[in-house]
Amino acid sequence: ISETEYTVNHIDKVAPTGYLEYSHESWTNDDVTVTLYAVDDRSSVTVDAGASYVFTENGEYTFDFRDEAGNLSQETAVVDWIDKEAPNPIVTYSEDTWTTESVTASVHFENEQEPVTINGGSPEVVIHENNADDPFIFTFVDAAGNTGQVEAVVDWIDREPPTGTLFHSTNGWTNDDVTVTLHTQDNSGETPTITSTGGNQHTFTEN
């Protein structure tokens, strides 16, 4: 009787392992490339659709990979830090109607998950004179590197008093009453409010 010894050493029931590397791991306005590095303790590893994937926007992608024995593993890449849009600025003013005071313009941003750097740090500016011909410009950059700018324009500061002209119903000698009418104007283009009793007219019955 003869005996033959046969050794089996090609059974593999353990799936391969892998880890992911990202080209960027913080806020960015670039694409993000994810690379899968897969290993197996017994045989080579095949990645079904390639070992790298490029995210052009935020999302998820699952790598399927297997060893020569057919054991399947998966690694899911998740990217949520791509931001390719500049922040949306909103400018507000301490006064937005006619005033004699200086006006503070402030800028803020909606739907931003990270702070936005403004003009080196300040989100406010005090505007002392009308500046429609030379607006103040807020420049800003977000955490992903997207830049933008917005103007702060004030044209409702008015420190000049209105002017008025008096018109008489009669300019020469008369034995009738004389009505005096005040016509006003303002450099703002708005109609001044007359605060005297009787409005813009007064009738003299005597000198």
Side-chain angles (χ1 to χ4, degrees), residues 16-20 35-40 43-47 51 65-66 73 75:
T17 59
Y19 65 93
L20 301 173
T35 303
L36 170 69
Y37 293 91
V39 294
D40 187 73
S43 61
S44 61
V45 178
T46 300
V47 183
F65 56 102
R66 64 194 76 233
S73 288
E75 287 286 342

Side-chain angles (χ1 to χ4, degrees), residues 80-98:
D80 61 2
W81 54 86
I82 295 175
D83 180 6
K84 297 184 178 183
E85 295 184 4
N88 180 31
I90 298 174
V91 178
T92 56
Y93 300 91
S94 58
E95 298 282 346
D96 58 8
T97 58
W98 289 106

